[in-house]
Amino acid sequence: MSEISKLVQKSDIEAKEYDESQIQILEGLEAVRIRPGMYIGTTTSKGLHHLVYEIVDNAVDEALAGFCNEITVTIKSDNTITVMDNGRGIPTGIHPQKGISAVEVVFTTLHAGGKFGGGGYKVSGGLHGVGASVVNALSEFLIVKVYQDGKVYKQEYSRGETITKLEVVDKTNLRGTFVHFKPDDEIFEETVYSFDVLKQRLQEIAFLTKGLKINLLDEREDKKATLHYEGGIKEFVTYINDNKTAIFDKIFYVEDTKDDINVEVALQYNDSYTEITQAYANNINTIEGGTHLSGFKSALTKTINEYGKKFNLLKENDKNLTGDDVREGLVAVISVKIGDPKFEGQTKTKLTNSEVKSVVDNIVSEYFYYFLEENPSIGKLIIEKSLMAARARDAAKKARELVRRKTALDNGRMPGKLADCLEKDPEKSELYIVEGDSAGGSAKNARTPKTQAILPLRGKILNVEKSRLDKILGNEQIRSMITAFGCGINEDFDMLKLRYHKIIIMTDADVDGAHIRTLILTFMYRYMTPLIESGKIYIAQPPLYKVEKSKKEYYVYSDLELENVLNDIGRDGIKPIQRYKGLGEMNPEQLWSTTMDPAKRILLKVTMEDAIAADRVFSMLMGDKVEPRRDFIREYAKTVEVLDI
Ligand code: TSJ
């Protein structure tokens, strides 16, 4: 007997005289409660928010089918969630075989999503795509109301069990489906919803479903957002380019369907050197790429070369522009919707349906060539930009070879100022990047030489947002980081060669320190993205104050904590309150015990949940446009001390 059926037997299910099919349902939902991680990935805050997306996806499917144009998500004051749409309402009739309504099937049967109705594309059933029954199983209560044919139907569940029959409770002239649920605090480690997290994902869904209006209301503090984009992913491109300078105004946009594969592509170029391409399949952000992305890339490179040759912007016997050349400064969003998406890869975010590649390739080639012909001034700008990229790439290649040759000559020698650790196993080694020589000196004296290495950086760190690779590689600070890390950059990046499993940025707790930290992080984000994605980068937290009272010392890490400490120990008889302006003001013992001792220190891990959000922040902080930066700093300066980017 399986573990699950044993548990089911032990409970009082049989005492209630359930029939065969109901026992199967309960076993299924019991399994969800026993191993929630298998169904929603995690029971942390991420999983908590995932419940909302599971429900919303069902309403989005109704919108894709053409029967709904508005969805309202509300965070109630008790952190329960309601989702309402204005679609046809889940069918309320009795399912002939199962003997229960479609509503009850949806909420009590695993993987019931999309089993009836048929036809069209569905975004539910995607990445986790586990359906409404999983949300039901993991909710202390769930109430569904269907507004249909003049009546309001209602049914209640608790932890996956049916509590009431589906019954008519009212009259109505509305149409739609309403769901109210409370995530079970026996399951979730965190039960407080974040408005910003929900807003981020709902905005993405709204971009990907043009015309659909999504309202997000927060009744805890009377906040709201309306996410509604008639232009769909075209407006997504505008949004990504917000803090950047586009090199032409018009956005290329195409939507077409071939062989039942619906393809939407929007793109524009900006004057930066980085590429932002976001690919989606059935509204899932396919960060590992796949066939839709390959089709797009192949079409873009081919079309630009063909156009350039045809209109004599490229010489007949010149080398072709490469994919990298034509994607410098590109912002593109690709969204495909297909009946039966297949995902593979480490995070199951790589689309593998082979038929998609040529469909995307054909659609993009045809329409983009036409777009260039119709807009010759844009065509010329794109070719010129690509040619510049090609020349710069040659220069960068030479610079990189020089760096490689130098390192070979140095025989793999580390930068002179690096005080390396004795440990050779990267898993046990950590690197502190410290700004300034005096702080570097203190850190070298404070460290545990066995496992802690120190790399002091002095002088200007280049703003990589404003330079191409050849110039970046000419910067000594950046070169010393690349050499010390050992893992290379960009296409040469190799995590296996990384020499430290923790890289800790330690700068002064002042404005200059924050600026230097942002410069270092920008470099890491643009050239060593996997380091950030895999959580190898940390920020050290030196204390802001030292309070001394009756021979005791208190180290304090924020203004709020200072208030609390002073209230705790009493303000009378306090000798000095020392404000640390720089790391250099601490002696090595103090630096060790407050900031570097693994047993006591506080490290902030740099995370990157959302690549678009991160890109916007870095473009804004480090780019040319002053306005958005000023607004951002005004908005956040009051509340945030360390940006958790
Ligand atoms: F799944 C769910 F219960 F969580 C949920 C479903 C939650 C929300 C907020 C909305 C929905 C939902 C389902 N909205 N609209 C629908 N539509 C159907 O289920 C439906 C209606 C009619 C037909 C038909 O063929 O006549 C087919 C379907 C799938």
Side-chain angles (χ1 to χ4, degrees), residues 54-63 67-68 71-72 82-91 102-103 106-107 114-118 122 131-133 135 142 144 148 176-179:
E54 282 293 340
I55 297 296
V56 168
D57 277 354
N58 290 280
V60 173
D61 283 344
E62 186 73 355
F67 298 103
C68 141
I71 302 173
T72 300
T82 68
V83 182
M84 171 88 195
D85 73 14
N86 63 349
R88 292 167 294 178
I90 308 174
V103 173
V106 164
F107 285 102
K115 284 268 168 65
F116 54 93
K122 289 194 166 41
S133 62
V135 179
L142 184 146
V144 56
Q148 209 169 56
T177 305
F178 165 96
V179 172

Side-chain angles (χ1 to χ4, degrees), residues 363-407:
I363 290 176
V364 173
S365 298
E366 181 184 337
Y367 287 85
F368 191 53
Y369 194 85
Y370 183 67
F371 173 84
L372 295 176
E373 277 191 327
E374 289 284 293
N375 301 279
S377 59
I378 294 179
K380 192 157 171 258
L381 282 169
I382 294 177
I383 299 274
E384 277 167 2
K385 178 153 175 79
S386 305
L387 280 171
M388 297 256 278
R391 279 179 215 125
R393 203 170 312 283
D394 270 347
K397 202 170 154 205
K398 288 193 187 107
R400 209 159 41 197
E401 267 156 21
L402 203 69
V403 172
R404 263 197 214 121
R405 218 166 325 127
K406 261 196 193 151
T407 13

Side-chain angles (χ1 to χ4, degrees), residues 536-607:
K536 302 254 189 297
I537 308 295
Y538 296 81
I539 293 168
Q541 289 275 82
L544 277 182
Y545 302 101
K546 182 170 78 172
V547 180
E548 279 183 80
K549 183 175 171 175
S550 36
K551 298 220 170 95
K552 275 202 187 138
E553 294 173 343
Y554 304 86
Y555 292 99
V556 180
Y557 293 84
S558 70
D559 287 316
L560 183 68
E561 194 188 353
L562 181 65
E563 277 304 301
N564 291 338
V565 168
L566 292 179
N567 288 340
D568 278 358
I569 63 174
R571 281 161 214 261
D572 298 335
I574 286 183
K575 275 209 292 182
I577 300 181
Q578 186 188 350
R579 178 157 172 59
Y580 290 115
K581 291 204 200 62
L583 299 163
E585 291 175 30
M586 271 180 273
N587 64 39
E589 292 73 41
Q590 289 171 326
L591 190 58
W592 165 255
S593 70
T594 61
T595 316
M596 294 179 70
D597 178 359
K600 288 196 263 172
R601 70 186 176 193
I602 308 167
L603 295 180
L604 292 181
K605 187 188 264 192
V606 178
T607 59

